[in-house]
Amino acid sequence: MEFLQAESWPGVQAAAHLYVPEGGGRRPFVLLCCGHGADCKLNPGYQAMARRLARQGAVVLVPDNIGQGERAPMGHRDSVTPFACGLSIQGLIVMETIAWLRWAMADARVDAGRMAAIGNSGGGTLTLFLGALCPELSALSSSGYPSSFEFIARKEKKHCHCNLLPGIVGKLEMWQILSVFAPRPLFIFQGSEDHLFPEDLFYMV
């Protein structure tokens, strides 16, 4: 495993883990998008998933999102400053993640023709948008999020601020964003016991 550091914007430090399988040559690439599991890239579940994918032959990148993992002091769940600047936390996370993908494409160990992104919960939010904004991705798995922007905006349940996207309701829905990824392989799913996003909304998507 390699420990990576980067600077997203002046004074804004980023961090990631890169898992590289044994052997040479260009390998398929998987971007593992963390959700709200404790410690982000250091979460045992994400580490186990990344190691398994690397053993199966993929280069795996696991970045810390803004305000998570090593970057927790920045604030994440209840951060409001980006909204005051006309931005969103998720928008900043998406921009950073696209930069990580561009970096990976230039790495000699990565087969840029076989790149995928996977994510659950907060990672499902991120992969939703990557599916529309990253034409270089060959496959996508987004889970624990596909539902309705309108439902989230009603605030019937407490959501992390990274799920709040001012101005999107009535202009765009999740099924429309996911449809942009077609006809490439897309796998979306939802846990039946995940009560943050009702099953009927998932099946509607």
Side-chain angles (χ1 to χ4, degrees):
M1 181 175 66
E2 299 178 11
F3 301 87
L4 306 180
Q5 290 184 320
E7 187 176 55
S8 301
W9 298 277
V12 180
Q13 301 299 313
H17 286 166
L18 185 70
Y19 296 76
V20 182
E22 296 180 355
R26 292 183 179 270
R27 301 298 188 101
F29 172 85
V30 177
L31 174 70
L32 200 170
C33 300
C34 296
H36 292 97
D39 302 320
C40 211
K41 70 180 184 312
L42 297 175
N43 183 281
Y46 294 133
Q47 290 185 322
M49 186 183 299
R51 286 194 299 268
R52 175 167 184 155
L53 289 167
R55 284 196 298 269
Q56 292 176 326
V59 174
V60 185
L61 179 67
V62 192
D64 274 337
N65 293 322
I66 289 173
Q68 294 181 283
E70 290 183 46
R71 310 170 76 192
M74 299 172 67
H76 177 89
R77 186 173 297 275
D78 295 312
S79 179
V80 297
T81 303
F83 301 122
C85 298
L87 302 169
S88 69
I89 299 169
Q90 190 58 226
L92 296 173
I93 292 171
V94 168
M95 285 192 285
E96 277 195 339
T97 308
I98 290 175
W100 280 117
L101 280 170
R102 300 286 189 269
W103 173 85
M105 288 181 68
D107 191 297
R109 297 167 292 185
V110 171
D111 181 349
R114 293 189 293 169
M115 302 182 75
I118 60 175
N120 179 65
S121 186
T125 311
L126 176 54
T127 49
L128 174 85
F129 292 107
L130 294 179
L133 298 172
C134 296
E136 54 271 72
L137 290 174
S138 302
L140 186 75
S141 176
S142 180
S143 62
Y145 184 72
S147 55
S148 161
F149 291 128
E150 181 183 359
F151 171 76
I152 294 171
R154 286 198 222 111
K155 299 182 178 65
E156 293 181 13
K157 300 184 179 184
K158 169 67 175 173
H159 282 273
C160 174
H161 285 186
C162 73
N163 279 342
L164 305 181
L165 302 163
I168 201 168
V169 174
K171 295 181 180 178
L172 199 60
E173 262 304 348
M174 294 188 198
W175 67 267
Q176 293 171 306
I177 296 176
L178 288 167
S179 72
V180 174
F181 199 74
R184 290 167 287 170
L186 170 67
F187 179 42
I188 63 171
F189 61 99
Q190 176 75 8
S192 61
E193 298 301 317
D194 183 347
H195 302 299
L196 195 59
F197 301 102
E199 277 189 90
D200 60 334
L201 290 181
F202 169 75
Y203 286 120
M204 181 186 69
V205 174

